[in-house]
């Protein structure tokens, strides 16, 4: 793993950060070599961590303090969380092969398919 504060990230990643986290700035970029290729994590000044693949596609957003921006989460998932967990916020949101995984502020993990339909609670 390499940590740098002045690494140039792909334009696609910059656009993602500007769209969803426009009031934040990048403080650190970590480059990691994984079994399935290189990826990197970007840390923002508010504590948000965003993981991207080498092409600049987001893979995971973790934002403990204020929660993941709702505009990033599909509407069907937003509605499910609002209905079933009205006192929680989404603190982690990940894209997976099967769809999406999220963690709520009470540390409960939920899985959804690619259409945003609930699959299961994960222990």
């Amino acid at each position: 793993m390499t940590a740098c504060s002045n690494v140039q990230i792909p334009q696609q990643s910059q656009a993602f950060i500007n769209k969803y986290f426009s009031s934040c700035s990048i403080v650190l970029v970590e480059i990691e070599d994984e079994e399935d290729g290189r990826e990197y994590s970007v840390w923002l000044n508010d504590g948000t961590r965003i993981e991207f693949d080498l092409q600049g596609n987001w893979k995971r957003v973790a934002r403990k303090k204020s929660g993941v921006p709702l505009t990033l989460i599909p509407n069907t998932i937003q509605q499910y969380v609002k209905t079933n967990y009205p006192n929680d916020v989404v603190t982690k949101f990940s894209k997976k092969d099967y769809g999406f995984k999220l963690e709520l502020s009470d540390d409960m993990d939920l899985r959804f398919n690619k259409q945003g339909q609930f699959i299961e609670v994960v222990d």
Side-chain angles (χ1 to χ4, degrees):
M1 174 172 29
T2 305
C4 303
S5 58
N6 60 353
V7 171
Q8 184 70 3
I9 62 174
Q11 186 63 36
Q12 186 168 335
S13 299
Q14 291 177 25
F16 179 87
I17 293 168
N18 290 335
K19 179 177 181 178
Y20 295 104
F21 305 95
S22 60
S23 64
C24 299
S25 59
I26 296 172
V27 294
L28 182 68
V29 176
E30 293 179 332
I31 301 170
E32 303 172 23
D33 290 315
E34 300 289 330
E35 288 180 15
D36 58 348
R38 180 173 272 187
E39 61 181 38
Y40 56 97
S41 296
V42 174
W43 293 89
L44 305 179
N45 64 335
D46 70 346
T48 300
R49 180 179 180 184
I50 309 166
E51 295 176 15
F52 296 96
D53 64 19
L54 190 57
Q55 292 74 40
N57 301 304
W58 75 274
K59 295 173 63 173
R60 181 174 179 241
V61 175
R63 194 176 204 200
K64 292 275 186 191
K65 291 182 183 177
S66 58
V68 173
L70 291 178
T71 53
L72 181 60
I73 301 170
N75 287 333
T76 54
I77 297 174
Q78 286 182 42
Q79 290 305 315
Y80 182 88
V81 171
K82 184 177 181 179
T83 300
N84 296 285
Y85 304 95
N87 298 319
D88 289 309
V89 296
V90 177
T91 57
K92 293 179 185 173
F93 190 62
S94 306
K95 285 195 279 187
K96 301 289 186 181
D97 290 338
Y98 57 80
F100 302 97
K101 180 180 176 187
L102 60 84
E103 183 177 308
L104 299 174
S105 51
D106 69 355
D107 290 330
M108 183 173 295
D109 291 347
L110 308 175
R111 288 187 183 166
F112 295 84
N113 66 19
K114 292 180 181 180
Q115 292 74 41
Q117 297 167 322
F118 176 74
I119 299 173
E120 65 183 339
V121 174
V122 184
D123 291 330

